[in-house]
Amino acid sequence: MPRRKHIDRRVRLADAKYNNLILAELINKIMVCGKKSTAEKIIYDALDLIQDKEKTDPVTVLEQALKNSTPLLEVKARRVGGATYQVPVEVGADRGRSLAIRWLIKATRTRSGRSMAEKFAAELIEASKDKGRR
């Protein structure tokens, strides 16, 4: 974090199919070893499965799942004198969304069996109904 110059955020491009910035961020986070086409296939297959199971728009299910998974507070270490205290701090929108995406992907990877798309679709459906793993 520089002290003098303000660094501008990089402009992110939306994904190709749904034209959604959150989906683009999700694809980039789920990508392993630079295999973006594989990550896109996983995400789009999961969204198609959500479309078939829930009969609703899969992007709204994704947004609801992220909203339910986003934390409101986090604790940060604050050193006062010789002691270190855990101080609760509100989470910003970008950090909260990033944490929610990271937690959903981690919960998906710990599920057993089936393909990644099926596991991710099931995790999103549970998270949108506020029933996922905590």
Side-chain angles (χ1 to χ4, degrees):
M1 211 160 104
R3 293 176 185 246
R4 295 190 183 139
K5 188 175 179 186
H6 176 72
I7 297 177
D8 296 327
R9 287 200 169 265
R10 185 177 296 177
V11 177
R12 281 186 270 147
L13 299 175
D15 76 302
K17 190 173 181 181
Y18 291 96
N19 199 23
N20 192 324
L21 289 173
I22 296 173
L23 270 177
E25 185 177 352
L26 182 64
I27 289 169
N28 288 337
K29 291 266 185 171
I30 209 165
M31 180 172 47
V32 178
C33 296
K35 298 192 174 208
K36 192 165 199 158
S37 60
T38 305
E40 286 175 345
K41 185 174 180 345
I42 290 169
I43 297 297
Y44 293 146
D45 287 349
L47 292 178
D48 290 341
L49 287 170
I50 291 171
Q51 176 76 35
D52 293 341
K53 287 181 183 177
E54 296 294 310
K55 306 288 190 241
T56 59
D57 182 30
V59 177
T60 58
V61 172
L62 171 70
E63 289 172 353
Q64 184 63 38
L66 285 176
K67 183 180 172 194
N68 290 344
S69 303
T70 303
L72 299 175
L73 294 173
E74 69 179 339
V75 291
K76 296 236 177 180
R78 189 49 139 197
R79 189 163 174 95
V80 178
T84 304
Y85 297 106
Q86 297 291 324
V87 179
V89 179
E90 287 187 23
V91 178
D94 290 338
R95 171 125 174 102
R97 185 176 58 246
S98 179
L99 283 173
I101 288 172
R102 194 180 318 157
W103 292 342
L104 283 171
I105 291 171
K106 184 178 179 184
T108 301
R109 288 186 175 142
T110 58
R111 280 181 175 249
S112 61
R114 300 181 307 221
S115 70
M116 184 66 177
E118 291 175 2
K119 293 191 292 187
F120 192 64
E123 192 65 38
L124 283 180
I125 290 169
E126 286 182 6
S128 69
K129 295 178 180 175
D130 225 0
K131 294 182 181 178
R133 296 179 184 172
R134 298 217 179 250

